[in-house]
Amino acid sequence: MDYASGVARWEPDARGRLDQAAMDLYRERGFAETTVAEIAARAGLTERTFFRYFADKREVLFWGAQLLERFILERIAEAPAKITPLQVVASALAATGAIFEERRERARVRQALIVAHAELREREVMKLAALTATIAEALRTRGVREPTASLTAEAGMAVFKVGFERWLGDTGKKDFAHHIRAALGELRAITSGRKSRSSRP
Amino acid sequence: MDYASGVARWEPDARGRLDQAAMDLYRERGFAETTVAEIAARAGLTERTFFRYFADKREVLFWGAQLLERFILERIAEAPAKITPLQVVASALAATGAIFEERRERARVRQALIVAHAELREREVMKLAALTATIAEALRTRGVREPTASLTAEAGMAVFKVGFERWLGDTGKKDFAHHIRAALGELRAITSGRKSRSSRP
């Protein structure tokens, strides 16, 4: 393989290959047991190349957060003025299906790793809290006042977390946006005091 | 003072005195600049006594979390069967005013410290995430199904965070429970699509 020869200085899709190699190794051997050297070798790249893209092996699981945040902020910024703040946020979150839909299996492997490792759970919780704060800020930029902006961001992220979990557990029939909309409907039922379908005994 | 003589082995309200001394020093000198030795000296106690109650100086700001959690779980367990899950959670959270109401000034000092220090913010976020998970579990114990239990816990904590902030910023006229109820009303308005008072331009 040319790209492993050490001659080529430009590595096509090095990030994607490192990501794929890391996820495969984490699944096969476990997160704690995998070294950066092994990830680089599996991807046919050098450790040096690995560190050009990721600070450490943990970062492989979190580099998408920035992409996700930018995507959501763009959707919020371009949302029509006359829909409610919660609709703005829910639509932006449902649109992230464009990022997640093709990666359900990767997302499942990632989620299992995060659930199993306290240090990863902590990082995930902090990333989601940062995203919540960024969404609230984007709403304030649109003229939404406090406490509406913060509450809407929190409510939106609650919908995102629950919708995301349901999508992960789905055997493949319903898409990401469906699960976000379903979680939003559930939240509306909860706050209106109606019994939703899933809460009935 | 008798209790500083070193003779008495039982120190009346040592935790409370250490807490008060620490909060005073954090406010006067800053969190980073205060040592455990100084806290103990201000409280008229030994460092050894400090470490009997707190793992480190950070823990002074978080020891109440366990108390808070127990209090909330008791309120949820004893809530009447016929109110909705969100009412169960909101009532339990509003009832924590019994803990916070007399400590608004301490809560303000604590909040300012947390906002100013990344390590404290991180710890606070993790504690609140743990409390959210515990509330969801308590709802499931009451027979509430998923995803209702998780969404209700998330929605309840969103109300708690916003209500708590508003209470901190209140000049003293409205009590804790009022701010929790107001935040709940705001969340209902947000999810129902009505414009609430505070979000009107």
Side-chain angles (χ1 to χ4, degrees), chain B residues 91-111:
Chain B
S91 298
L93 295 172
T96 64
I99 296 173
F100 291 118
E101 206 61 75
E102 299 301 307
R103 299 172 190 164
R104 194 169 337 203
E105 197 44 45
R106 182 191 186 282
R108 283 194 186 117
V109 173
R110 179 181 179 279
Q111 194 76 356

Side-chain angles (χ1 to χ4, degrees), chain B residues 20-30 34 38-39 42:
Chain B
Q20 181 68 53
M23 296 304 292
D24 288 349
L25 286 165
Y26 295 164
R27 198 186 55 235
E28 292 165 23
R29 301 189 194 171
T34 299
E38 288 167 337
I39 296 168
R42 173 76 68 105

Side-chain angles (χ1 to χ4, degrees), chain A residues 9-43:
Chain A
R9 303 191 53 164
W10 180 75
E11 302 290 356
D13 191 26
R15 191 201 295 269
R17 282 157 54 199
L18 289 163
D19 181 275
Q20 181 69 53
M23 296 305 290
D24 289 348
L25 286 166
Y26 295 165
R27 199 186 55 234
E28 291 164 24
R29 301 187 195 172
F31 176 74
E33 290 73 17
T34 300
T35 66
V36 166
E38 288 166 338
I39 296 168
R42 174 75 68 103

Side-chain angles (χ1 to χ4, degrees), chain A residues 69-89:
Chain A
E69 179 175 301
R70 203 164 48 220
F71 184 91
I72 291 170
L73 293 184
E74 282 168 10
R75 297 294 87 68
I76 292 176
E78 74 191 18
K82 63 185 188 174
I83 66 176
T84 70
L86 186 59
Q87 284 169 330
V88 168
V89 174

Side-chain angles (χ1 to χ4, degrees), chain B residues 119-188:
Chain B
E119 59 168 306
L120 301 178
R121 274 204 307 281
E122 190 154 329
R123 184 145 181 152
E124 176 80 341
V125 168
M126 293 309 295
K127 292 268 182 188
L128 292 175
L131 181 56
T132 309
T134 307
I135 289 173
E137 179 60 35
L139 291 174
R140 287 191 292 271
T141 302
R142 285 175 64 93
V144 179
R145 295 210 201 159
E146 284 299 340
T148 307
S150 290
L151 265 172
T152 303
E154 295 274 358
M157 285 304 288
V159 163
F160 182 72
K161 285 179 211 170
V162 168
F164 193 87
E165 289 264 358
R166 307 289 280 192
W167 171 74
L168 281 185
D170 187 315
T171 47
K173 283 175 193 157
K174 300 282 172 57
D175 69 5
F176 189 84
H178 164 86
H179 288 288
I180 295 294
R181 285 193 304 267
L184 178 62
E186 179 72 16
L187 178 68
R188 289 193 201 283

Side-chain angles (χ1 to χ4, degrees), chain A residues 30-183:
Chain A
F31 176 74
E33 290 73 17
T34 300
T35 66
V36 166
E38 288 166 338
I39 296 168
R42 174 75 68 103
L45 296 167
T46 62
E47 280 190 70
R48 195 176 154 152
T49 302
F50 179 94
F51 289 116
R52 208 179 301 147
Y53 292 96
F54 307 105
D56 53 39
K57 66 177 182 173
R58 211 172 59 156
E59 201 56 31
V60 177
L61 300 166
F62 294 99
W63 68 274
Q66 219 181 330
L67 183 74
L68 183 68
E69 179 175 301
R70 203 164 48 220
F71 184 91
I72 291 170
L73 293 184
E74 282 168 10
R75 297 294 87 68
I76 292 176
E78 74 191 18
K82 63 185 188 174
I83 66 176
T84 70
L86 186 59
Q87 284 169 330
V88 168
V89 174
S91 298
L93 295 172
T96 65
I99 297 174
F100 291 118
E101 207 60 78
E102 298 301 308
R103 298 172 192 164
R104 196 171 332 203
E105 196 44 44
R106 182 191 186 282
R108 283 194 186 116
V109 173
R110 180 180 179 280
Q111 193 76 356
L113 288 169
I114 286 172
V115 168
H117 295 84
E119 60 169 304
L120 300 178
R121 275 203 308 281
E122 190 153 329
R123 185 145 180 151
E124 178 79 342
V125 167
M126 293 308 296
K127 291 266 183 189
L128 292 175
L131 181 55
T132 309
T134 307
I135 290 173
E137 180 60 37
L139 291 175
R140 286 191 293 271
T141 302
R142 283 176 65 91
V144 179
R145 294 211 199 159
E146 284 299 344
T148 306
S150 289
L151 264 171
T152 303
E154 295 274 357
M157 285 304 289
V159 162
F160 182 72
K161 287 179 209 170
V162 168
F164 192 87
E165 288 264 358
R166 309 289 279 191
W167 171 75
L168 281 184
D170 188 313
T171 48
K173 285 174 189 157
K174 301 281 173 54
D175 69 5
F176 189 84
H178 164 86
H179 288 288
I180 295 293
R181 285 193 304 267

